[in-house]
Amino acid sequence: MWNDLRAHYETVKDRRFETMVDADRAADFSANLGDLQFDYAKTNIDSEGRKALFALLDQAGVGAKRDAMFAGQKINETEGRAVLHTALRNLDGDPVIVDGVDVMPDVLATLERMDDFAAAVRSGAFQGQGGKITDVVNIGIGGSDLGPAMGVLALAPYHDGPRCHFVSNVDPADIAGVLRGCDPETTLVIVASKTFTTIETMTNARTAKAWMGQSVADPAAQFAALSTSEQGTADFGIAPDRVFGFEDWVGGRYSMWGPIGLSMMIAIGPDAFRAFLRGAQDMDRHFQAAAWHENLPALLALVGIWHNQICGHATRAVLPYDNNLSRLPAYLQQLEMESNGKGVSMDGEDLAVNSGPVVWGEPGTNGQHAFYQLIHQGTRVIPCEFLVAARGHDDDLHHQHQLLVANCLAQSEALMKGRDLDEARGKVADKFDGAELERQAKHRVFPGNRPSVTIAYPKLDPHMLGQIIALYEHRVFVEGVVLGLNSYDQWGVELGKELATALQPIIEGADASGKDGSTSGLVDFLRSHGV
């Protein structure tokens, strides 16, 4: 099928797809789940290409592997684990069997414990040693930070609990900057580390404990842990009733639905957090039941495959015209690049096609004044994914939100239509003539024919955020299955960690012999300046 798709692309790659986008195509090349709409009409995919892409799904066995994932089979073959972040939002408790045991009673019991603790923090039933909790500091890294940090910001209009802060970087500037604005007597620190051994997280956790110990008698009493290490959390002094664990079938970058989302739950409340879970569950059911031509995760994945593996566009810009989603591109960088940034297939062979794209972006309209120049007139095509809500959260500023929406739709239209040389001449004909007119006009030409998709929704609320994040999770799954790789391990992050552990004693003064000349030279330079 890859060859068929590439052959089809060769026949259509120079076509101006603007000429295809009429009302019929707009309806045919869009799909909905309730009030969430996915529009992919502004791409060069046509009915024939889409049919071949659907065949690719069937050839890869996406449907069967999807069902295996939801059923608790160990589809993470390199680590021998199930992949069941979906169980964390299975609010109805339908049985999910792993190794002969239904995992749902424990999942729902942990969710109830989270509810109770979050409610106690929010109400003041659980207090710091100086009174009601005013600030929550979540210390984690990777999936233990990016998910809840993105979610807390995305749902800022729904915050009615303590202020939430996030520390991830081992750079002392990160934790120092956060703690400087908090009162140790009314701050709750949440340490998010499954093993309770993550170097960056535990270094920051010890720093926070020492900071708190300068003001309170029992600093550990104002700590909670998101971890499966009973011994590690006990040694740190955290009582078992403030430890919330999760199983190894929940990967870090897929973990915000469970205990890793505790900071979100404290910020927005248990009911709103459950609405967030329900939104994701609705997307799960849609992904399981919808035919391919209506299946949002499958369609989003196929557009990505078309652009990356078939057209050769190596990057993907995520452009939310929703300032509360300003951390979504960073979240998706990990979700997509850690999941599908692989070079080896499930059978241990080199991949026959390129793996996942580089994912990046910023919220609109900020990006328009930063990197859209490259997107519109650069030499490389960068497929764009726009997200936009019909309404914001500030009704008295609705006119300003309308301007935001107009900018979003205008950008996707401009990418598609472009501006030819004749039109560019007309823009400056009153200022220039002759050779100078030609020169000036060429600078104002927009190639156009640059693809984009748009995800539109009424308003960003907890339920809708859950749908959007689950949509992207399942997109990653579909792309991974089609590419034939394991989306749920991350061996690529290990080597740097190992070398950092070996380098730390050298940085602190041990002999640097044995290191390459560049590394040794850098060590010498940094030592000479006080590292």
Side-chain angles (χ1 to χ4, degrees):
M1 291 308 303
W2 290 113
N3 289 335
D4 292 343
L5 280 163
R6 292 188 184 104
H8 179 66
Y9 171 64
E10 288 299 316
T11 69
V12 303
K13 65 180 181 180
D14 296 322
R15 174 180 57 193
R16 299 290 300 188
F17 59 81
E18 175 191 359
T19 62
M20 302 159 52
V21 184
D22 56 15
D24 289 339
R25 177 176 169 86
D28 188 23
F29 282 74
S30 64
N32 297 73
L33 171 56
D35 290 332
L36 178 65
Q37 179 166 327
F38 173 60
D39 179 298
Y40 61 109
K42 294 187 182 78
T43 70
N44 205 8
I45 300 173
D46 57 17
S47 296
E48 183 180 347
R50 183 171 61 182
K51 183 179 179 181
L53 287 166
F54 289 157
L56 198 63
L57 297 181
D58 294 331
Q59 183 184 60
V62 171
K65 291 180 180 178
R66 170 198 61 198
D67 296 342
M69 176 179 71
F70 279 96
Q73 295 182 29
K74 296 180 179 180
I75 66 168
N76 179 354
E77 296 178 13
T78 60
E79 297 180 303
R81 295 174 180 172
V83 175
L84 280 176
H85 48 281
T86 54
L88 300 178
R89 59 223 192 195
N90 178 20
L91 294 179
D92 299 318
D94 298 336
V96 178
I97 308 300
V98 178
D99 293 330
V101 177
D102 182 6
V103 303
M104 287 312 303
D106 284 346
V107 168
L108 295 178
T110 298
L111 182 59
E112 290 287 347
R113 289 184 59 229
M114 290 171 59
D115 284 351
D116 292 343
F117 183 67
V121 172
R122 288 163 55 84
S123 69
F126 175 90
Q127 295 195 351
Q129 290 157 76
K132 187 175 180 179
I133 296 296
T134 59
D135 294 89
V136 175
V137 176
N138 184 95
I139 298 177
I141 198 165
S144 299
D145 168 77
L146 284 166
M150 179 274 297
V152 164
L153 178 57
L155 298 179
Y158 298 89
H159 289 195
D160 54 5
R163 294 181 295 269
C164 282
H165 315 272
F166 293 88
V167 173
S168 57
N169 202 324
V170 76
D171 183 338
D174 192 8
I175 192 164
V178 168
L179 297 182
R180 193 175 295 122
C182 297
D183 181 348
E185 295 188 347
T186 59
T187 295
L188 171 69
V189 178
I190 300 174
V191 183
S193 171
K194 182 183 289 187
T195 62
F196 227 62
T197 59
T198 309
I199 292 175
E200 300 93 336
T201 298
M202 297 314 301
T203 300
N204 280 324
R206 288 188 289 270
T207 296
K209 189 177 181 182
W211 164 80
M212 192 173 287
Q214 295 173 3
S215 301
V216 303
D218 183 6
Q222 287 174 220
F223 275 69
L226 315 177
S227 176
T228 56
S229 175
E230 295 180 3
Q231 187 62 53
T233 55
D235 291 346
F236 199 86
I238 303 175
D241 63 341
R242 285 180 275 114
V243 177
F244 303 86
F246 49 101
E247 300 296 330
D248 64 6
W249 35 255
V250 180
R253 57 192 174 277
Y254 296 90
S255 62
M256 66 185 296
W257 315 101
I260 293 298
L262 181 61
S263 56
M264 283 181 63
M265 182 184 279
I266 293 172
I268 64 176
D271 290 343
F273 188 79
R274 284 178 178 260
F276 169 66
L277 299 183
R278 183 68 71 181
Q281 185 183 33
D282 289 347
M283 184 59 71
D284 292 343
R285 290 175 171 173
H286 168 80
F287 179 46
Q288 290 177 281
W292 292 142
H293 70 281
E294 299 174 333
N295 195 302
L296 269 64
L299 292 170
L300 184 59
L302 291 178
V303 170
I305 288 168
W306 171 262
H307 287 149
N308 184 11
Q309 282 75 26
I310 305 303
C311 302
H313 306 321
T315 78
R316 174 189 299 157
V318 178
L319 308 169
Y321 276 69
D322 196 322
N323 200 58
N324 289 329
L325 286 176
S326 60
R327 292 291 291 164
L328 180 66
Y331 173 78
L332 294 179
Q333 282 176 350
Q334 185 195 22
L335 180 66
E336 300 201 31
M337 294 170 71
E338 192 167 83
S339 294
N340 289 344
K342 315 290 173 59
V344 177
S345 66
M346 293 287 271
D347 59 9
E349 299 297 325
D350 291 344
L351 281 186
V353 294
N354 285 326
S355 57
V358 174
V359 178
W360 59 283
E362 278 287 320
T365 56
N366 294 18
Q368 293 176 202
H369 295 266
F371 51 77
Y372 278 40
Q373 169 65 47
L374 178 70
I375 290 176
H376 281 289
Q377 291 186 309
T379 57
R380 296 181 180 90
V381 173
I382 300 170
C384 296
E385 296 180 0
F386 296 97
L387 296 95
V388 64
R391 302 187 309 279
H393 293 89
D394 302 288
D395 292 341
D396 57 332
L397 295 175
H398 184 61
H399 65 286
Q400 199 162 323
H401 186 80
Q402 290 176 321
L403 176 60
L404 177 76
V405 173
N407 270 273
C408 178
L409 300 185
Q411 290 298 326
S412 64
E413 183 182 16
L415 285 166
M416 176 182 67
K417 293 178 66 173
R419 176 186 289 160
D420 64 22
L421 184 58
D422 285 340
E423 187 179 355
R425 287 193 192 101
K427 291 288 183 181
V428 293
D430 61 334
K431 299 178 181 179
F432 308 101
D433 58 21
E436 183 62 12
L437 172 60
E438 290 300 295
R439 188 178 76 86
Q440 291 286 346
K442 287 180 179 179
H443 285 286
R444 291 160 173 79
V445 169
F446 288 69
N449 221 34
R450 301 196 167 193
S452 69
V453 302
T454 300
I455 297 170
Y457 44 92
K459 191 174 186 177
L460 187 65
D461 60 17
H463 185 272
M464 185 56 65
L465 180 65
Q467 286 190 318
I468 291 170
I469 301 307
L471 167 64
Y472 274 98
E473 287 181 343
H474 293 318
R475 183 244 199 108
V476 167
F477 167 82
V478 173
E479 289 184 339
V481 173
V482 170
L483 297 175
L485 52 78
N486 182 4
S487 299
Y488 301 102
D489 60 14
Q490 55 277 331
W491 302 111
V493 305
E494 297 300 322
L495 179 58
K497 290 182 180 180
E498 294 172 12
L499 294 177
T501 300
L503 265 167
Q504 185 173 355
I506 296 173
I507 298 298
E508 294 172 349
D511 182 16
S513 61
K515 288 295 179 183
D516 63 89
S518 172
T519 302
S520 296
L522 288 167
V523 167
D524 290 342
F525 173 84
L526 292 167
R527 279 180 179 172
S528 71
H529 288 275
V531 69

